[in-house]
């Protein structure tokens, strides 16, 4: 039996709404989710010896999620606009909109109270799927339009964790939703991710300034620490003197995905993460143009679920997304959603393992 977190530790009433903990599973994977921010709290995955570990970083009670702002974005959906918007403002149809500033003078992940901080409605729960929804009112965190969001988490028979977002608006707005689990394929608290092997199917990254806002220029990855077109360990170049690595304190960059749709559900293969000792493999597939790879510098050593602190470089995020600051960058893919249209975003995290022992 897996040591699942007790539902009682996640029962709460906040702003008159009920928070709970829900469990879904397939033959091999077991996941626990809270409707506070749509967070994945635990995800149990087998290794090559069929030993199980919880490979996402989190807390063991709702109180820690509600009150620990130093590690705010664990396992949640981020939005209305994932990543950064420069100086917290953008213009649509000649009108300027101002957003909360919450990250070095920029707006990060939707502001002071993004979708990570709201309580979603439970629409449906089955053995292997959960559907959550939220209606963000016009003007919430400065964004125009009433945005209706539906997101679904599914565990499929082939060991894929499928994230689907849909959203509609009654007024022209900008939307960019993303999933923000932090992964360590050894298991939470079981060491660093610097020895994980990473492949990213990208020929370029968006260059950023000192505030991690895109300059509008692209950097080709060849002969840089950003070249993950073939498998490389994350730690190999994480302390490089490359100016972009210094700015990001490691990796905190948007990779420009290449390649035509293929494979799973006609999606693009964005990345593959492999932990050699356990044999665990995580593939990332998406319909989005970008992948934010964050190597986990800014952890505060808060206590995790199993009595071990959250360490710097102890986990990583692979966030499928539109480009950062796209509302202010006309050359980037558009993030505008019009009334009558539907925003759609699919991200698949597919798990497997290699059975060959590492010599």
């Amino acid at each position: 039996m897996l040591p699942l977190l007790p539902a009682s530790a996640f029962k709460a009433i906040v702003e008159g709404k009920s928070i709970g903990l829900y469990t879904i599973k397939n033959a091999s994977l077991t996941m626990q989710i809270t409707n506070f921010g749509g967070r994945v709290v635990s995800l149990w995955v087998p290794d090559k010896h069929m030993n199980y570990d919880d490979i996402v970083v989190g807390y063991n009670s709702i109180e820690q999620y509600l009150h620990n702002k130093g590690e705010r974005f664990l396992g949640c959906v981020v939005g209305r606009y994932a990543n950064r918007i420069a100086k917290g403002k953008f213009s649509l149809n000649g009108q300027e909109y101002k957003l909360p500033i919450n990250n070095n003078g920029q707006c990060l992940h939707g502001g002071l109270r993004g979708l990570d901080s709201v309580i979603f409605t439970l629409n449906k729960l089955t053995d292997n799927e959960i559907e959550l929804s939220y209606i963000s009112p016009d003007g919430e965190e400065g964004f125009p339009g009433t945005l209706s969001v539906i997101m679904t988490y599914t565990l499929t028979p082939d060991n894929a964790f499928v994230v689907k977002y849909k959203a509609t608006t009654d007024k022209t707005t900008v939307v960019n939703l993303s999933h923000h689990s932090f992964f360590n394929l050894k298991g939470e608290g079981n060491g660093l991710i610097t020895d994980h092997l990473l492949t990213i199917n990208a020929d370029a990254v968006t260059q950023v300034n000192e505030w991690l806002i895109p300059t509008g220029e692209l950097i080709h990855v060849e002969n840089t620490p950003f070249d993950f077109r073939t498998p490389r360990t994350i730690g190999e170049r994480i302390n490089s003197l490359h100016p972009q690595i210094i700015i990001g304190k490691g990796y905190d960059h948007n990779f420009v995905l290449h390649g035509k749709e293929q494979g799973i559900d006609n999606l693009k293969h964005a990345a593959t993460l492999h932990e050699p000792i356990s044999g665990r493999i995580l593939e990332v597939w998406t319909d989005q143009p970008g992948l934010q790879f964050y190597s986990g510098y800014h952890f505060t050593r808060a206590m995790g679920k199993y009595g071990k602190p959250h360490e710097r470089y102890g986990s990583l995020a692979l966030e499928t997304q539109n480009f950062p600051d796209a509302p202010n960058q006309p050359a980037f893919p558009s993030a505008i959603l019009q009334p009558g249209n539907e925003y759609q975003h699919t991200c698949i995290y597919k798990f497997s393992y290699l059975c060959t022992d590492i010599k």
Side-chain angles (χ1 to χ4, degrees):
M1 295 288 291
L2 298 175
L4 299 182
L5 299 171
S8 58
F10 284 80
K11 285 186 177 180
I13 303 293
V14 176
E15 299 173 355
K17 298 180 180 179
S18 296
I19 297 175
L21 184 68
Y22 309 96
T23 301
I24 61 175
K25 61 180 66 177
N26 64 11
S28 298
L29 309 177
T30 299
M31 177 186 291
Q32 293 183 285
I33 306 105
T34 175
N35 59 322
F36 177 63
R39 282 173 166 78
V40 174
V41 174
S42 70
L43 176 55
W44 292 88
V45 178
D47 69 4
K48 64 186 178 183
H49 300 299
M50 296 307 295
N51 296 318
Y52 277 78
D53 286 293
D54 179 359
I55 55 89
V56 296
V57 169
Y59 300 127
N60 59 18
S61 75
I62 191 62
E63 290 301 316
Q64 289 175 283
Y65 285 105
L66 289 170
H67 301 300
N68 191 327
K69 300 303 182 183
E71 295 179 0
R72 174 180 156 189
F73 299 110
L74 300 183
C76 57
V77 55
V78 287
R80 289 189 185 191
Y81 201 93
N83 218 304
R84 293 167 177 85
I85 293 180
K87 299 180 181 179
K89 57 186 178 181
F90 63 93
S91 295
L92 276 177
N93 299 329
Q95 181 175 345
E96 183 178 84
Y97 295 92
K98 294 183 178 180
L99 315 174
I101 300 301
N102 64 332
N103 182 255
N104 297 319
Q106 324 305 315
C107 181
L108 174 66
H109 291 332
L112 296 172
R113 189 177 183 271
L115 295 182
D116 65 286
S117 299
V118 305
I119 301 169
F120 282 78
T121 299
L122 176 65
N123 291 348
K124 182 176 70 172
L125 179 66
T126 67
D127 288 345
N128 72 318
E129 184 174 274
I130 186 170
E131 181 183 283
L132 302 169
S133 64
Y134 177 71
I135 297 176
S136 176
D138 183 19
E140 186 168 51
E141 295 298 282
F143 289 93
T146 300
L147 189 75
S148 299
V149 177
I150 296 176
M151 62 182 186
T152 306
Y153 297 162
T154 308
L155 298 180
T156 67
D158 61 347
N159 289 339
F161 164 32
V162 181
V163 182
K164 286 185 178 290
Y165 299 116
K166 295 181 179 181
T168 57
T169 183
D170 61 359
K171 186 186 298 185
T172 302
T173 192
V174 297
V175 183
N176 181 32
L177 308 182
S178 188
H179 183 73
H180 212 296
S181 277
F182 283 88
F183 298 101
N184 183 331
L185 297 186
K186 300 173 185 177
E188 181 190 298
N190 290 342
L192 305 183
I193 49 83
T194 47
D195 56 357
H196 285 43
L197 290 162
L198 179 63
T199 308
I200 301 178
N201 290 320
D203 294 324
V205 295
T206 48
Q207 183 185 65
V208 293
N209 63 19
E210 61 183 315
W211 309 118
L212 295 175
I213 295 294
T215 65
E217 300 296 321
L218 302 183
I219 298 175
H220 198 282
V221 300
E222 189 169 359
N223 297 320
T224 76
F226 299 96
D227 192 351
F228 287 97
R229 293 175 296 180
T230 57
R232 307 289 288 265
T233 61
I234 292 168
E236 181 180 343
R237 299 165 295 179
I238 202 167
N239 294 313
S240 164
L241 296 180
H242 190 287
Q244 290 287 295
I245 293 290
I246 294 172
I247 288 172
K249 294 181 170 59
Y251 297 98
D252 193 2
H253 294 79
N254 174 62
F255 285 72
V256 180
L257 299 176
H258 67 70
K260 298 180 180 179
E261 283 97 0
Q262 54 182 309
I264 300 177
D265 290 346
N266 205 34
L267 303 177
K268 288 180 284 193
H269 179 207
T272 296
L273 186 67
H274 175 213
E275 199 286 296
I277 303 303
S278 68
R280 290 189 183 97
I281 295 171
L282 166 58
E283 299 173 35
V284 184
W285 298 76
T286 189
D287 53 10
Q288 296 299 291
L291 176 77
Q292 187 81 8
F293 166 36
Y294 173 48
S295 54
Y297 179 88
H298 295 284
F299 274 92
T300 63
R301 290 185 57 81
M303 194 59 64
K305 288 170 285 187
Y306 310 108
K308 300 174 183 178
H310 295 164
E311 300 277 5
R312 177 175 295 171
Y313 304 143
S315 61
L316 61 87
L318 296 168
E319 310 155 57
T320 61
Q321 61 175 14
N322 200 343
F323 292 2
D325 200 37
N328 295 310
Q329 305 269 358
F332 285 180
S334 176
I336 296 174
L337 178 65
Q338 300 282 4
N341 294 336
E342 184 177 65
Y343 170 88
Q344 296 186 9
H345 175 174
T346 297
C347 170
I348 296 178
Y349 298 106
K350 188 176 188 301
F351 295 94
S352 59
Y353 49 85
L354 285 176
C355 293
T356 303
D357 286 329
I358 304 299
K359 302 296 184 182

